[in-house]
């Protein structure tokens, strides 16, 4: 996918803004995520923690679930901001699985604590050998 650098930076900044809405009283680790939709709009989400840590929801899944609930079934790029980390922190395994449900392997992914140190990759590089896509192709 060919997405302009300025548009990717805007997406990353939306993720930074979303991180400010994080509910993370236990980890104190705010995360924001932003999805670029096919029409150019941006849907964001933040991590939402719970005392029962297994019930916590990551920022990436919050954004994807918000997009899906609004009727979207694909997105064009993802940015994840972890502004209080010392190094780039990528999506967890559960998020990688969910993300690949809604976008192809070549979808751009950015993650990091600030724009100058952001890691640029793709869903396919984050989650190689995604054989579960074959299940959807049969339906």
């Amino acid at each position: 996918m060919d997405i302009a650098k300025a548009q990717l930076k805007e997406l990353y900044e939306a993720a930074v803004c979303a991180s400010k809405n994080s509910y993370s009283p236990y980890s104190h680790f705010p995360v924001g995520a932003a999805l670029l939709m096919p029409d150019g709009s941006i849907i964001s989400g933040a991590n939402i923690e719970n005392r029962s840590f297994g019930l916590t929801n990551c920022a990436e899944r919050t954004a994807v679930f918000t997009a899906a609930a609004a009727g979207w079934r694909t997105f064009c790029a993802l940015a994840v901001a972890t502004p209080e980390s010392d190094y780039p922190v990528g999506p967890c395994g559960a998020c990688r699985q969910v993300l690949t449900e809604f976008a192809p392997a070549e979808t751009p992914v950015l993650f990091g604590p600030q724009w100058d140190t952001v890691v640029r990759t793709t869903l396919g590089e984050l989650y190689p050998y995604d054989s579960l896509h074959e299940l959807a192709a049969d339906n």
Side-chain angles (χ1 to χ4, degrees), residues 30-135:
V31 181
L35 301 171
L36 178 63
M37 307 316 292
D39 69 352
S41 64
I42 294 174
I43 294 179
S44 61
N47 58 323
I48 308 298
E49 294 182 351
N50 188 276
R51 298 186 287 272
S52 174
F53 203 70
L55 300 178
T56 292
N57 202 54
C58 297
E60 299 92 316
R61 284 182 281 146
T62 299
V64 168
F65 297 161
T66 299
W72 292 102
R73 296 297 179 257
T74 191
F75 62 92
C76 300
L78 164 70
V80 180
T82 54
E84 294 186 19
S85 66
D86 295 330
Y87 54 88
V89 178
C92 73
C95 287
R96 292 173 193 212
Q97 177 71 54
V98 169
L99 291 164
T100 63
E101 181 76 19
F102 293 95
E106 62 273 8
T107 303
V109 176
L110 309 168
F111 61 89
Q114 57 194 18
W115 177 252
D116 294 339
T117 60
V118 76
V119 171
R120 292 172 174 85
T121 188
T122 66
L123 279 179
E125 290 171 337
L126 284 176
Y127 193 55
Y129 311 111
D130 179 15
S131 61
L132 293 178
H133 261 115
E134 295 167 10
L135 296 175

